[in-house]
Amino acid sequence: MKSKKLLALVLGTTLLASSAIAGCAKKDDKAADDKGKETAKIDKDQYLNLVMTEPKSLDASKSTDMYSSMVLSEVMEGLTRIEQDKDGKDVIKAAGAEKWESNKEGTVWTFKLRDYNWSDGKPVTAKDFEYGIKRTLDPKVASQYAFLLSPIKNADEYNAGKASRDSVGVKAVDDKTLQITLKQPCSYFLDLTYFKVMQPQRQDIVEKYGDKYGTEAENMIFCGPFKVAKWSHNSEIVLEKNDKYWDKDSVKLQKVNLKIIKDENARYNSLYSGQLDSAAVTKPEWIKKFDSTGKFNNIKGYDPSTNYTFFNTKDKLFGNVNVRKAFSLAITREDMANVIFNGIYDPAYGWAPPSLQLGGKDYRELVGEEPLKKLKEENPDPKELLKKGLKELGMDTDPSKLNITYLFAGTSQWHRTYAEYTQQMYKKTLGVNMKAEYVEWPVFQKRTDEMKYQLAGMAWAGDYNDPNTFFDMWITGAGIVPTGWSNKKYDELLKNAMSSLDEKERLKDYKEAEKILLYDDAIIAPTVYRKRNTYRYKYVKNLMSPLFGTVEFKYAYTEGRGK
């Protein structure tokens, strides 16, 4: 469940899903219009102007980033939706499925669909869900998120080309009944039901447009609260209210304008002038400026996401574990958090971030340690590890003669500032020469997918409230962030954790898996745990941003814009 989770590595540019419109927004009683008495209080023109990054694809089986997930969650109605209750806690609510049940073993789930339609008037059926799920698993589609469906019976086998499509445990019993059979009990299965990999897809539309499906607004069909009315690439995506939505009376917004603004100061100016209604703000001088107006609510708190550097293990240099450890330990995390991220984020010595829970308790507190702190204690001088690795590779052990290239997902001034910091950091701590290569987000994803990089950086945000959302992406063959790495022990630990209902056993497995990932093999190097620091005009009401899942526009509205 990770679409939401691939993020461009920027402080204030996890623009929408985790920062720009983050924070819990409780349902406002004033918005209740059961009797039509309160509707007069809300603004006549209902719209929001927000900011995001250009999505890679709006094909649910092919999209891999948070930005596309955010759009898909609003234009498609899956079995469930992730919302927030009156206390701001994440809750799973009935959506396309009005009810569901499982057998005693928790291995067979039956979902009863409500009566609702696609935007062309045709009914959404269980067949649409069966087709969508199996299409994501189809090896010919090569979905990078197919691994998320692993709990389903024969999902992995079909995805690997070792079983038939019909053997997959997903079946439309009739038009309104979907039955899903798991290979074994799965503690987080229901959390998958609101994610894009389980959204319905119309076979006739997908086949009509082929590879162009999901690339333009006119090549899609919708069944959610909104529909994509306009997609001007690298400029703007406009969502309009879907009048054929089954719960349209709950949707007050007529339009959501998702503007793609790459320059950080341009975003801040747009927010300050009222051209944006909400955005993440990180620069101290701008924070002070926004605070002084009295017009904004400042929303803070941990975001379940982590910034990190990852290594191409097929590259000669970064195929060496000591080299990878050296580059991980060379990161000045405390300084980076304070200088680059203005003290808003926290240094990360583990992978799974604070706020992520296991059995209702904070995973980081349960684990009680962060693997990289131990590695740092054992290796106070990362340069010595680098020299050791270079010697093992038969290369010159003089770090000053080493040249590396770091791939950045963006071309803005922020990225260039971050790159300069990283260059100086590696020069000081390791003595190496680093070249920065800047590409836009879609190109970055293509380059990393094709493993045309040495080391690169981005962020990952969890899709559901379980450690698995941070660890299953590194299982052999998952491919969500290709590094060329594979570890049988890691795979076995994750397999056990995914199938167990014993929280103590799962904690032990995840703890050991995190150690392998960061301490033993050093495949990735977490840098900071992200936090939310959003400024939102006070007239924006009921805009939900669950910790897990994406932003929810369905219940949002404005009251007092322009006053």
Side-chain angles (χ1 to χ4, degrees), residues 123-384:
V124 178
T125 69
K127 276 288 185 183
D128 297 329
F129 281 95
E130 179 182 357
Y131 173 74
I133 293 171
K134 290 183 176 179
R135 178 171 177 259
T136 297
L137 289 169
D138 189 338
K140 294 180 181 178
V141 174
S143 171
Q144 290 181 277
Y145 284 98
F147 71 95
L148 290 171
L149 297 169
S150 180
I152 298 174
K153 181 181 178 181
N154 282 331
D156 292 338
E157 290 80 359
Y158 174 50
N159 186 240
K162 298 178 180 179
S164 67
R165 181 179 185 277
D166 291 341
S167 71
V168 176
V170 181
K171 180 182 179 181
V173 178
D174 55 46
D175 283 351
K176 295 299 179 182
T177 308
L178 180 72
Q179 187 177 85
I180 299 179
T181 302
L182 308 184
K183 65 180 69 173
Q184 59 216 357
C186 177
S187 61
Y188 60 88
F189 173 70
L190 197 60
D191 290 279
L192 299 178
T193 57
Y194 59 79
F195 193 55
K196 64 187 175 188
V197 293
M198 293 187 69
Q199 289 176 345
Q201 297 183 34
R202 273 270 295 278
Q203 184 173 358
D204 59 328
I205 301 297
V206 173
E207 293 179 348
K208 177 180 179 180
Y209 293 106
D211 290 340
K212 293 183 179 180
Y213 175 72
T215 62
E216 303 290 344
E218 56 268 26
N219 296 349
M220 300 183 66
I221 195 166
F222 315 102
C223 61
F226 299 88
K227 55 186 179 181
V228 181
K230 177 183 177 183
W231 186 357
S232 299
H233 292 282
N234 294 304
S235 177
E236 182 181 41
I237 292 178
V238 178
L239 306 184
E240 289 184 354
K241 180 176 178 178
N242 180 6
D243 289 329
K244 290 186 171 62
Y245 181 55
W246 70 271
D247 195 24
K248 64 180 180 181
D249 291 343
S250 294
V251 183
K252 294 179 174 61
L253 292 174
Q254 293 296 322
K255 186 178 292 187
V256 180
N257 303 304
L258 303 173
K259 302 182 179 183
I260 298 170
I261 306 174
K262 299 176 183 179
D263 181 74
E264 187 176 24
N265 284 320
R267 291 195 301 274
Y268 295 156
N269 277 311
S270 295
L271 180 63
Y272 191 77
S273 65
Q275 296 176 62
L276 291 176
D277 297 316
S278 179
V281 180
T282 57
K283 287 188 174 181
E285 62 270 28
W286 277 100
I287 289 174
K288 184 177 180 180
K289 192 172 182 178
F290 285 119
D291 283 340
S292 68
T293 68
K295 296 180 179 180
F296 298 88
N297 288 319
N298 182 204
I299 302 160
K300 297 182 178 182
Y302 270 111
D303 188 67
S305 56
T306 305
N307 283 7
Y308 66 104
T309 291
F310 56 104
F311 307 104
N312 181 351
T313 63
K314 297 302 181 182
D315 177 80
K316 178 182 178 181
L317 179 64
F318 292 104
N320 182 275
V321 65
N322 285 313
V323 170
R324 296 195 300 271
K325 287 181 179 181
F327 274 82
S328 177
L329 293 176
I331 297 170
T332 51
R333 291 170 172 84
E334 285 81 3
D335 188 66
M336 179 182 289
N338 290 322
V339 175
I340 294 297
F341 299 106
N342 303 315
I344 294 175
Y345 293 175
D346 289 344
Y349 289 91
W351 174 228
S355 77
L356 187 70
Q357 296 184 331
L358 176 61
K361 297 180 180 179
D362 189 284
Y363 169 78
R364 286 260 64 96
E365 291 182 4
L366 289 172
V367 172
E369 62 184 37
E370 293 174 292
L372 288 179
K373 286 186 176 180
K374 180 181 179 182
L375 187 64
K376 184 178 181 181
E377 290 172 1
E378 296 173 348
N379 300 276
D381 186 0
K383 188 181 292 186
E384 291 304 312

Side-chain angles (χ1 to χ4, degrees), residues 441-462:
W441 177 241
V443 178
F444 177 89
Q445 288 194 280
K446 186 174 186 297
R447 285 278 303 275
T448 53
D449 287 348
E450 296 173 349
M451 296 194 69
K452 295 180 179 178
Y453 71 97
Q454 277 192 297
L455 70 166
M458 57 181 171
W460 182 263

